[in-house]
Amino acid sequence: MTTWPRWFQLDEGSDELRQDEQLFLSELQRAAARWDVGYAASWAIRDEEEHPCLIAAVSLSDPVRRIGLGQFGVHYRDHHARGDLLHSCLHELPDEPTPIALDVGGTPEEVAVECAAWFETILRRPVKYSSWRNHHGQLYAEGWKFSDDEDELSQSYIPALAPRKQRRRLLRGGFVFGRGWRQVKGIEDPPSHERRVR
């Protein structure tokens, strides 16, 4: 069994934790120490100026491409925790909960156990990487998703390198949003390369 004993270490610049936050974080760390999952960066922070709560999070990444795929975290406050995919810079929860959202209350220990189970479920989900190359061998699109239900984690698309007909197909198919953001899930061609990330 591979374990990572230092899950959710409190950031050195954090504000002092209240007693219930200490209990929550200790139990979360204790539960996480028993996980048998692949490595993922994790952290905890308490910054009253930014967020009036304790935040604990894990970051999924692709070590081959050296790219972050998403931070999943919980906001714990007053015996209650809400968890979801966090904004990558602000560490805020989304305005509308996603299908993986968590909302739980109880004693600090009970909430920590529920949060630990939620984190472990996310860390056990398989992640797949797919990439597409043009006829010159240039990478024009890549995407990362949970392979158990096809939920997208991250993607990139370079229209200037993509096949011209495909760009038009994506536009007609409704896979272009905002300022020309193309959704990789609309690509009909099979990927040039696929691999399991975790």
Side-chain angles (χ1 to χ4, degrees):
M1 179 166 95
T2 304
T3 59
W4 310 99
R6 299 187 56 85
W7 289 99
F8 305 110
Q9 290 301 300
L10 187 63
D11 185 89
E12 291 178 7
S14 288
D15 295 337
E16 189 173 331
L17 298 183
R18 298 188 319 252
Q19 184 178 3
D20 68 307
E21 293 170 334
Q22 289 173 349
L23 290 169
F24 168 81
L25 186 57
S26 294
E27 185 58 37
L28 181 61
Q29 291 169 333
R30 190 172 12 264
R34 294 187 295 268
W35 294 341
D36 184 17
V37 297
Y39 174 76
S42 69
W43 48 270
I45 191 167
R46 176 73 161 90
D47 184 350
E48 189 64 42
E49 283 185 31
E50 295 292 323
H51 298 282
C53 61
L54 171 64
I55 301 173
V58 296
S59 299
L60 296 183
S61 63
D62 181 346
V64 173
R65 295 287 291 141
R66 296 183 180 179
I67 186 170
L69 304 178
Q71 293 184 359
F72 297 84
V74 295
H75 286 201
Y76 174 82
R77 182 178 185 184
D78 299 329
H79 304 265
H80 183 259
R82 289 181 49 230
D84 213 326
L85 179 64
L86 299 179
H87 184 282
S88 61
C89 296
L90 304 175
H91 313 304
E92 293 178 353
L93 294 164
D95 293 333
E96 293 293 322
T98 69
I100 63 159
L102 170 76
D103 193 341
V104 63
T107 68
E109 295 87 351
E110 291 168 342
V111 174
V113 167
E114 291 291 328
C115 290
W118 180 78
F119 278 122
E120 186 177 16
T121 298
I122 290 168
L123 292 170
R124 288 192 180 283
R125 293 181 71 183
V127 175
K128 180 173 73 174
Y129 167 80
S130 303
S131 63
W132 291 263
R133 294 184 179 273
N134 62 23
H135 63 280
H136 296 295
Q138 298 167 305
L139 181 69
Y140 71 86
E142 53 190 345
W144 293 261
K145 59 186 169 186
F146 285 122
S147 54
D148 57 356
D149 67 0
E150 303 293 307
D151 280 349
E152 297 283 340
L153 288 167
S154 186
Q155 64 179 8
S156 70
Y157 187 91
I158 305 169
L161 298 178
R164 188 171 293 158
K165 288 181 181 179
Q166 182 188 83
R167 291 183 298 193
R168 287 193 294 264
R169 240 186 352 254
L170 290 175
L171 186 59
R172 283 194 310 270
F175 294 102
V176 179
F177 302 97
R179 296 183 175 176
W181 180 257
R182 283 150 176 89
Q183 298 294 303
V184 172
K185 67 182 174 185
I187 298 174
E188 295 174 0
D189 301 327
S192 307
H193 175 72
E194 289 185 312
R195 66 177 163 79
R196 184 176 173 151
V197 175
R198 47 180 308 116

